Amino acid sequence: MPIEAQIGKLASRGVEIGDATAAVNLLRAVGYYRLTGYLYPFRSSERYDDEGRTRVRVLSGYRKGTTMAHAAKIIDFDRALRILALDGIERVEVSLRMQLGHTLGAKSPFAHPDPATFVPPFTAEYTDPISGLQTSKHLQWIAKANARRDASDEAFVAHFRDKYDGQMPIWALTEILELGHLSRLYGGLNNSLATAIAHYYGAGHGEQDRQLELRPERRRPPRPPVQPKARHRPQPATRRRRPAPGPSSRR
């Protein structure tokens, strides 16, 4: 659909176009469907009855006062907020790479292949239901880290491949891992190592506070309030009667 036709469609649905040149530039910059996504909260709506239940139907037109200039401001705000968020995430990610490499490296340059670095559930082997082979979360993590290393075209990675048969110390390996790899690595660490990293970020002061959320893209929804359960009187446990002693057991 030509840009002029897109502007006409928006105007026919109640959007105040204002400066036509600015509207054309905005549509060329972000596209019609992205723009209408930002305008969606300003769509008109109506209530209707559905078998005794009141529902809301979103209409194709826009509420009075919806303008292209307003949409442009929202897009600019969203862009600025996204840049700020990405800047913060980048700082945390770089810091986390350093803390994992430094903390594990103080234990050993090759602490990551050592099962003693991790909690038992992370290293416990089980049979993969698909391949039928023995594996563990630790072995799967090592395989993904090795695949990341082998696919890297970084000069320092090539150096370790050529000179040291691909063996990379943990402080170098963390520089090429994805955030998900770092998250799984941290989640499998034994308590002393994980707690040391968590304390660096002020995330607790005891053994129960080792948890550090490393997945900002995965947010838990708020939990609904817990409804009180109806109290019931517990039933007494049934006890098995011991048989009366026979004459031969009496003295």
Side-chain angles (χ1 to χ4, degrees):
M1 183 188 302
I3 297 294
E4 291 74 13
Q6 295 174 14
I7 292 176
K9 188 174 183 179
L10 290 169
S12 68
R13 292 184 174 181
V15 179
E16 298 177 14
I17 303 303
D19 187 338
T21 302
V24 169
N25 292 336
L26 182 61
L27 282 165
R28 285 177 175 169
V30 302
Y32 178 84
Y33 286 102
R34 177 176 287 269
L35 175 66
T36 54
Y38 283 104
L39 289 174
Y40 186 83
F42 304 100
R43 296 269 287 270
S44 299
S45 61
E46 64 181 10
R47 297 179 182 273
Y48 69 97
D49 182 78
D50 180 19
E51 298 180 354
R53 304 179 67 178
T54 302
R55 300 184 180 276
V56 177
R57 178 188 294 114
V58 178
L59 305 177
S60 61
Y62 293 91
R63 289 182 289 176
K64 186 177 179 179
T66 303
T67 68
M68 289 285 282
H70 190 194
K73 289 181 180 180
I74 296 175
I75 292 171
D76 288 342
F77 172 80
D78 182 64
R79 181 182 295 114
L81 180 61
R82 187 173 310 194
I83 291 173
L84 287 173
L86 290 176
D87 177 71
I89 292 172
E90 190 270 344
R91 292 172 186 269
V92 172
E93 182 179 342
V94 170
S95 173
L96 179 62
R97 292 180 189 278
M98 182 273 169
Q99 287 301 319
L100 280 167
H102 177 75
T103 304
L104 270 67
K107 180 178 183 295
S108 167
F110 300 99
H112 49 293
D114 184 2
T117 304
F118 304 95
V119 292
F122 193 72
T123 58
E125 293 191 359
Y126 62 92
T127 302
D128 185 88
I130 298 177
S131 66
L133 301 176
Q134 288 293 108
T135 186
S136 68
K137 294 180 180 179
H138 183 213
L139 293 175
Q140 291 175 354
W141 182 88
I142 290 176
K144 291 179 179 179
N146 289 343
R148 186 76 175 172
R149 175 203 62 197
D150 296 341
S152 176
D153 58 358
E154 295 282 354
F156 77 94
V157 177
H159 169 75
F160 283 104
R161 279 200 298 259
D162 297 339
K163 298 292 184 180
Y164 302 101
D165 195 26
Q167 299 299 313
M168 298 180 65
I170 185 60
W171 55 78
L173 183 63
T174 54
E175 290 299 317
I176 62 171
L177 297 180
E178 295 179 351
L179 188 58
H181 300 147
L182 299 175
S183 175
R184 283 185 286 274
L185 174 64
Y186 173 82
L189 293 179
N190 63 43
N191 194 73
S192 61
L193 293 171
T195 301
I197 295 172
H199 284 182
Y200 175 82
Y201 295 102
H205 302 283
E207 291 188 358
Q208 300 299 324
D209 300 315
R210 60 162 279 171
Q211 298 302 320
L212 182 65
E213 182 59 56
L214 303 181
R215 301 170 187 169
E217 70 293 348
R218 185 180 180 182
R219 298 180 180 178
R220 295 189 181 97
R223 294 182 179 178
V226 178
Q227 299 295 332
K229 295 182 179 180
R231 294 184 178 180
H232 62 280
R233 185 172 298 174
Q235 297 295 327
T238 303
R239 294 183 178 179
R240 179 180 295 178
R241 283 188 167 186
R242 298 178 60 184
S248 61
S249 63
R250 296 177 183 173
R251 292 184 178 178

